[in-house]
């Protein structure tokens, strides 16, 4: 399973493969062209309530992670999203993009874990 994580502000590379933005809100200061997305999966992002509560506070990360995984488990678009990602993984790499500065405590990290578990 070749899934990588990358900040949306980093330059796109051909090796990124299929690029998915995992934020519910569009990242500030970047154009759609520069983002070079294949998919904006805002419906798979954490709910607005959960995102606001978390506020990218590392001390809240474990609780955020648990709550977001629960949201993903009950997301009505989950099966379609999993099928789409799986089909693109057959062709090559999938890159999950996020806007947060913190590379270790964000929704893309949780979504990556969720995908690994779903495909194992």
């Amino acid at each position: 399973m070749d899934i990588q994580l990358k900040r949306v502000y980093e330059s796109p590379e051909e090796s990124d493969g299929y690029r998915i933005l995992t934020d519910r809100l569009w990242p500030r200061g970047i154009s759609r062209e520069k983002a070079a997305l294949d998919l904006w999966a805002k419906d798979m992002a954490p709910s607005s309530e959960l995102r606001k509560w978390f506020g990218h506070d590392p001390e809240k990360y474990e609780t955020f992670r648990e709550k977001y995984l629960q949201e993903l488990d009950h997301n009505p678009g989950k099966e379609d999203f999993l099928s789409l990602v799986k089909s693109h993984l057959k062709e090559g790499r999938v890159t999950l993009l996020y806007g947060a500065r913190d590379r270790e405590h964000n929704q893309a990290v949780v979504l990556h874990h969720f995908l690994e578990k779903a495909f194992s």
Side-chain angles (χ1 to χ4, degrees):
M1 186 173 81
D2 192 5
I3 298 176
Q4 76 173 353
L5 302 175
K6 190 172 184 178
R7 283 194 80 212
V8 70
Y9 300 102
E10 295 176 45
S11 297
E13 299 174 48
E14 191 152 330
S15 63
D16 290 344
Y18 192 77
R19 292 169 52 90
I20 303 172
L21 179 61
T22 64
D23 291 355
R24 184 166 296 273
L25 301 176
W26 189 260
R28 290 182 183 156
I30 190 163
S31 68
R32 293 187 189 270
E33 293 76 30
K34 191 170 183 180
L37 300 181
D38 293 299
L39 175 69
W40 182 11
K42 57 185 164 188
D43 293 337
M44 295 304 296
S47 66
S48 294
E49 297 80 17
L50 183 57
R51 177 184 54 78
K52 289 175 186 175
W53 171 83
F54 173 46
H56 297 286
D57 179 350
E59 291 184 16
K60 294 180 177 178
Y61 180 73
E62 281 308 312
T63 302
F64 166 77
R65 183 180 167 283
E66 291 171 19
K67 290 182 178 194
Y68 181 34
L69 286 171
Q70 288 174 359
E71 286 186 355
L72 287 168
D73 280 337
H74 295 96
N75 188 314
K78 172 180 78 171
E79 294 305 322
D80 289 341
F81 181 74
L82 289 172
S83 293
L84 179 112
V85 171
K86 193 172 194 174
S87 71
H88 285 285
L89 283 170
K90 289 177 184 173
E91 299 171 18
R93 176 177 284 162
V94 170
T95 298
L96 301 178
L97 302 165
Y98 59 92
R101 287 188 182 109
D102 187 333
R103 296 178 183 276
E104 296 174 24
H105 305 101
N106 65 64
Q107 77 280 352
V109 173
V110 179
L111 187 57
H112 184 262
H113 172 78
F114 176 79
L115 292 170
E116 282 183 329
K117 186 176 174 186
F119 297 146
S120 63

